[in-house]
Amino acid sequence: MNYNKKTVRDVEVAGKKVLLRCDFNVPQDKETGEITSDKRIVAALPTIRYLLDNGAAVIACSHLGKPVATFESYVKKQVEKGKDASSVKKEDWEKSLKKLTLAPVAKRLSELLGQEVIFASDVVGEDAQAKAAALQPGQILLLENTRFEKGETKNDPELAKAMASMADLYVSDAFGAVHRAHASTAGVAAYLPAVSGFLIQKELEFLGGAIANPKRPLVAILGGSKVSSKIGVINNLLEIADTIIIGGGMAYTFSAAMGGKVGNSLLEADWMDYSKDMIEKAKTKGVKLLLPVDTVCADAFAPDANSQVVKAGEIPDGWEGLDIGPETVALYCEAVADAGTVIWNGPMGVFEFPAFAKGTEAVAEALSKTSAITIIGGGDSAAAVEQLGYADKMTHISTGGGASLEFLEGKELPGVACLLDAE
Ligand code: ADP
Ligand code: MG
């Protein structure tokens, strides 16, 4: 996959109407609908400002949450949940949609930009069309939630064409959504010249660079809860990494596969054979595979559980591994010390409990000290690094949870593939 794409700087934007796909999928308070973190809106500002300052008229769009776009599908979903079809009311569906309007995002964006953000009550309907047509250079319009259109998630060409017809240029800056082939993330690129904004550019530069052309040795640190959710990542990294380090919950499946005792630790019995194969595959490929040599185990899955350090594979009955042990920490820190590039996905332990965050913190600290390019991918890993206070010490923290995983899996991302290649 080519990660070298044209950006907003490579095209003329003055006097153009730009359809800008943002990731405004912000977390909201379930009761009040209030935006609980505006991080994603703030992250979109540089590209928006660049476009406005350079004389473009910006038609911004995004999805928010998972609205059900038609009443029929809403009824179907409710029936699946055990409700009687005749008891499902149209008002309930409308209410569910209202909760996912982008209107509060328009308001917050306007405060952050210090200028009016015109809001359209639909995506490609009369309101959007009229407001887009009247939009002047330096002005910004935000369309309603793209998923209110049933064609969005189906990548319906009619919807893509209708969205494209309002603009002269498509800019994608929603990295969190590039792994989805939807009308607004990929489909529109069939009808407009398509380039990346600054957020995607940065992700491609660092994540893409680390995968396509890493400074070696390339060390991959993999952790998190399950082996099964990381198969694609492990497979791909086995092809490109020099060293793979395993920690977190997934380590116990590896340990059990080698005949170790793992007590009540997270174990995916169905994936033991796979783990064994991985160990063999690493050997044949000459990839160094490091597994924990000791573990911090607890007598309960709780922040204040009793804990003890034991050798890997010797977890007593009734105990469960919640973090890597001190000898493992030393081993892993040494392995990253002379790395050229480190890709980290998945915490080393249950970092949400301070007592079991030590392994994750030690690895974060080691990364902060290496001269290696350090790249963090994955939602929880990014949260862990931020929570532990090492965010500004990393080369790059990916903003896309699911998208960054698919990136690490080496998959072709539809929202990236659709952009024009750089010359
Ligand atoms: P990411 O989102 O970065 O890809 P994952 O979602 O795979 O990471 O995993 C994160 C979760 O893994 C965290 O919530 C963490 O508590 C959990 N985890 C890590 N180690 C263990 C463990 N030993 N036992 C249970 N859960 C663990
Ligand atoms: Mg996660």
Side-chain angles (χ1 to χ4, degrees):
M1 183 166 162
N2 184 4
Y3 299 120
N4 198 8
K5 296 292 180 179
K6 275 197 178 158
T7 80
V8 282
R9 287 193 206 279
D10 299 321
V11 289
E12 183 61 66
V13 302
K16 298 260 171 77
K17 281 193 178 138
V18 176
L19 179 68
L20 174 65
R21 179 50 157 98
C22 300
D23 179 4
F24 289 149
N25 186 28
V26 292
Q28 291 172 289
D29 185 286
K30 275 206 184 80
E31 299 300 314
T32 65
E34 220 172 298
I35 298 169
T36 51
S37 164
D38 63 3
K39 229 173 96 176
R40 288 186 169 160
I41 308 176
V42 172
L45 295 175
T47 301
I48 295 174
R49 286 213 173 100
Y50 175 87
L51 291 169
L52 295 173
D53 290 350
N54 286 281
V58 175
I59 304 166
C61 67
S62 172
H63 77 282
L64 174 61
K66 291 184 177 156
V68 183
T70 64
F71 181 56
E72 281 155 323
S73 337
Y74 184 78
V75 174
K76 227 196 237 163
K77 284 245 159 92
Q78 296 303 312
V79 170
E80 276 165 22
K81 282 185 193 164
K83 272 201 186 151
D84 193 41
S86 59
S87 73
V88 182
K89 286 192 234 116
K90 204 154 189 176
E91 298 121 76
D92 294 338
W93 169 59
E94 283 161 358
K95 241 189 246 163
S96 78
L97 290 188
K98 252 190 210 134
K99 277 192 178 161
L100 294 172
T101 172
L102 278 173
V105 171
K107 184 166 170 275
R108 185 74 194 111
L109 178 60
S110 164
E111 289 162 4
L112 289 164
L113 274 175
Q115 79 174 67
E116 184 194 7
V117 173
I118 303 162
F119 183 68
S121 60
D122 48 30
V123 184
V124 287
E126 264 174 45
D127 196 36
Q129 301 278 354
K131 284 173 176 163
L135 204 66
Q136 297 300 313
Q139 288 190 318
I140 176 166
L141 165 70
L142 176 63
L143 305 179
E144 183 54 285
N145 191 342
T146 51
R147 288 195 189 165
F148 284 3
E149 285 289 335
K150 68 173 188 298
E152 165 71 335
T153 53
K154 295 190 181 117
N155 196 5
D156 175 13
E158 290 308 313
L159 175 61
K161 219 187 268 180
M163 293 189 83
S165 73
M166 296 187 279
D168 312 302
L169 173 70
Y170 171 65
V171 176
S172 176
D173 218 15
F175 184 70
V178 290
H179 56 311
R180 301 196 175 104
H182 291 174
S184 74
T185 59
V188 286
Y191 308 100
L192 287 174
V195 301
S196 77
F198 300 130
L199 279 177
I200 289 195
Q201 185 198 4
K202 189 165 177 253
E203 298 279 0
L204 294 181
E205 183 184 340
F206 289 107
L207 272 179
I211 282 180
N213 188 22
K215 194 171 164 233
R216 295 192 179 269
L218 169 62
V219 179
I221 308 175
L222 298 174
S225 47
K226 293 179 178 169
V227 179
S228 59
S229 66
K230 300 289 166 73
I231 301 300
V233 179
I234 302 175
N235 286 344
N236 188 42
L237 289 173
L238 265 175
E239 301 297 328
I240 56 177
D242 300 295
T243 302
I244 294 183
I245 291 175
I246 304 277
M250 67 161 79
Y252 306 104
T253 298
F254 279 85
S255 175
M258 294 185 303
K261 281 175 56 188
V262 298
N264 291 341
S265 305
L266 221 157
L267 171 68
E268 292 180 289
D270 291 349
W271 291 94
M272 281 164 59
D273 284 342
Y274 170 86
S275 307
K276 238 189 244 164
D277 289 347
M278 284 306 103
I279 296 172
E280 282 311 309
K281 206 169 166 195
K283 262 186 213 147
T284 35
K285 287 192 175 295
V287 176
K288 210 195 270 176
L289 183 75
L290 299 180
L291 292 163
V293 291
D294 59 353
T295 185
V296 179
C297 59
D299 60 357
F301 187 86
D304 57 354
N306 294 309
S307 70
Q308 60 171 320
V309 176
V310 300
K311 279 210 177 102
E314 295 180 14
I315 299 176
D317 289 343
W319 292 68
E320 59 194 291
L322 297 186
D323 197 6
I324 52 174
E327 274 182 47
T328 307
V329 164
L331 187 72
Y332 289 3
C333 290
E334 196 188 304
V336 300
D338 60 354
T341 307
V342 182
I343 297 177
W344 184 9
N345 169 248
M348 295 290 97
V350 183
F351 72 95
E352 294 92 338
F353 300 158
F356 304 102
K358 291 194 188 94
T360 303
E361 178 156 23
V363 168
E365 194 194 348
L367 291 201
S368 74
K369 286 181 181 156
T370 66
S371 53
I373 296 165
T374 49
I375 292 172
I376 317 297
D380 292 291
S381 314
V385 167
E386 266 156 35
Q387 191 183 307
L388 297 167
Y390 290 93
D392 58 344
K393 302 268 168 42
M394 304 300 163
T395 311
H396 179 63
I397 300 181
S398 178
T399 53
S404 57
L405 281 191
E406 293 204 12
F407 214 111
L408 296 180
E409 288 172 4
K411 280 195 188 154
E412 171 155 305
L413 304 165
V416 173
C418 73
L419 305 177
L420 293 169
D421 290 336
E423 263 133 47

